[in-house]
Amino acid sequence: MTEMGNHPRLQDRADSREGVPFLPDYVLFLLASTSAAASEEFHAEVRANGLRVPEWRVLACLSDADGQMVTRLAALSLMEQSRLTRIIDQMDARGLVERRSDAADRRRVRVFLTPAGADLARRMIDKARAHETALLDRLPGGSGRELKRLLRVVYRELCADD
Amino acid sequence: MTEMGNHPRLQDRADSREGVPFLPDYVLFLLASTSAAASEEFHAEVRANGLRVPEWRVLACLSDADGQMVTRLAALSLMEQSRLTRIIDQMDARGLVERRSDAADRRRVRVFLTPAGADLARRMIDKARAHETALLDRLPGGSGRELKRLLRVVYRELCADD
């Protein structure tokens, strides 16, 4: 059976309701499926380096801006705050991050990379950039780079709505 | 604090490692974040209609091609098969889908929409199409429709690799 692939291509079908198949022409399906298919290879590399995907996301977020609050990290890494709190506990225990009180407001807690965490973040970001280059090179006729340019526009627009 | 938004925009920062912030220029981050932000509004509508997001995905998949196997539905709806099996059990109990043996191979089980499930699928697809039109109209200068065109190219390419 060819039906077992992880990201099967939907075939156009003439016999669906109203004669028009829905999912292959639905932008939210295309976004979610393309995101999953594109991320899958790199996530395997993340796990091969002893990290879970949420841990990699936290390292990458803190590498761009160290000392973030958990609320902000949860939003950037697309995770429920309760789940992220447990992940940060585990990363703290492994010596990758540490919590410190905000200098201006002691009730606020911020998360910082340790030197070991910063080093691991740097190495994983190098791998992520290499994977991205290979991925974009593989897509036909510059479509990957054009997709990235448009995603920057759309991401800014959607997130500016908040 | 403005740090509490669900999908905050990353600011370019000149002070990150190597002087170049990573995430705002990383295509897997842009894909995942744009997908999450774009889906969020419609998923609220899905829940307001008494469905969970995975249930909506199953209805949409079956509406395009009824009588699929669970392995294929899991791949299309981006879910672990074990989780999807439980969701199909619950949808079966609600009278939205039913399992039947494959005509040619009785060991294979296929999932079909009931008339009630097909009716709900049709109504939700109409809502999804309306939401998509509004979303694409909102994005500046045709960028949404161009993004959709490119996603179709990239989706085909990534999924043809399987």
Side-chain angles (χ1 to χ4, degrees):
Chain A
M1 293 294 289
T2 56
E3 296 191 332
M4 313 287 284
N6 275 328
H7 295 287
R9 180 175 1 168
L10 277 182
Q11 300 301 320
D12 284 352
R13 287 174 60 107
D15 59 349
S16 73
R17 277 165 193 79
E18 302 163 57
V20 182
F22 167 63
L23 288 176
D25 189 47
Y26 181 46
V27 73
L28 298 191
F29 171 80
L30 292 169
L31 270 169
S33 299
T34 303
S35 178
S39 294
E40 190 175 338
E41 297 170 347
F42 188 65
H43 289 173
E45 197 167 336
V46 167
R47 287 186 288 267
N49 279 270
L51 283 171
R52 290 178 302 166
V53 170
E55 294 173 328
W56 149 240
R57 288 181 171 157
V58 168
L59 290 179
C61 290
L62 293 176
S63 183
D64 273 356
D66 207 7
Q68 297 192 60
M69 295 200 304
V70 174
T71 45
R72 166 87 174 162
L73 281 176
L76 283 172
S77 57
L78 307 172
M79 257 183 291
E80 296 288 333
Q81 196 174 327
S82 57
R83 185 172 173 222
L84 182 61
T85 297
R86 288 196 301 276
I87 283 163
I88 289 172
D89 287 343
Q90 292 158 356
M91 294 177 79
D92 193 333
R94 281 179 65 187
L96 297 174
V97 300
E98 59 187 14
R99 291 180 169 91
R100 282 185 247 144
S101 294
D102 188 273
D105 180 350
R106 309 279 312 163
R107 290 164 306 177
R108 287 188 196 281
V109 173
R110 294 184 177 274
V111 183
F112 292 83
L113 291 170
T114 62
D119 183 58
L120 182 55
R122 223 166 3 236
R123 280 185 287 127
M124 290 308 300
I125 286 173
D126 287 346
K127 290 178 196 289
R129 286 192 166 125
H131 172 262
E132 180 187 53
T133 300
L135 174 70
L136 296 181
D137 285 347
R138 201 166 92 211
L139 296 171
S143 56
R145 289 175 210 286
E146 180 62 10
L147 176 70
K148 180 171 166 181
R149 190 189 67 75
L150 277 165
L151 281 169
R152 292 178 66 130
V153 173
V154 171
Y155 172 71
R156 260 198 305 275
E157 187 70 17
L158 291 181
C159 298
D161 285 353
D162 284 346
Chain B
M1 293 292 291
T2 57
E3 297 191 330
M4 313 286 285
N6 274 331
H7 296 286
R9 176 165 17 158
L10 277 182
Q11 300 301 322
D12 284 352
R13 287 175 59 108
D15 60 348
S16 74
R17 278 167 193 78
E18 304 163 57
V20 182
F22 167 64
L23 288 176
D25 188 47
Y26 180 46
V27 73
L28 298 191
F29 172 80
L30 292 168
L31 269 170
S33 300
T34 303
S35 178
S39 294
E40 191 174 340
E41 296 169 350
F42 187 66
H43 288 175
E45 197 167 336
V46 167
R47 286 186 289 266
N49 280 270
L51 283 171
R52 291 177 302 167
V53 170
E55 294 172 327
W56 149 240
R57 289 181 170 158
V58 169
L59 291 179
C61 289
L62 293 177
S63 184
D64 273 355
D66 207 6
Q68 297 191 58
M69 294 201 303
V70 173
T71 46
R72 167 88 174 164
L73 281 176
L76 284 172
S77 58
L78 305 173
M79 256 182 292
E80 296 287 332
Q81 196 174 326
S82 57
R83 185 171 174 225
L84 182 60
T85 296
R86 287 196 302 278
I87 284 163
I88 289 173
D89 287 342
Q90 292 157 355
M91 295 177 78
D92 191 334
R94 280 179 67 187
L96 297 174
V97 300
E98 58 187 15
R99 291 179 169 93
R100 281 185 248 145
S101 294
D102 187 273
D105 179 348
R106 309 281 311 164
R107 290 164 306 178
R108 289 187 194 282
V109 173
R110 295 183 177 275
V111 183
F112 292 83
L113 292 170
T114 63
D119 183 59
L120 182 56
R122 222 163 8 235
R123 280 185 287 125
M124 290 308 300
I125 286 173
D126 286 347
K127 290 178 195 288
R129 285 194 168 122
H131 172 261
E132 179 186 54
T133 300
L135 174 70
L136 297 181
D137 284 348
R138 200 166 94 211
L139 296 172
S143 57
R145 289 176 212 283
E146 180 61 11
L147 176 69
K148 180 171 165 179
R149 191 190 67 74
L150 277 166
L151 281 169
R152 292 177 66 129
V153 172
V154 171
Y155 172 71
R156 261 198 305 274
E157 187 71 17
L158 291 181
C159 298
D161 284 355
D162 285 346

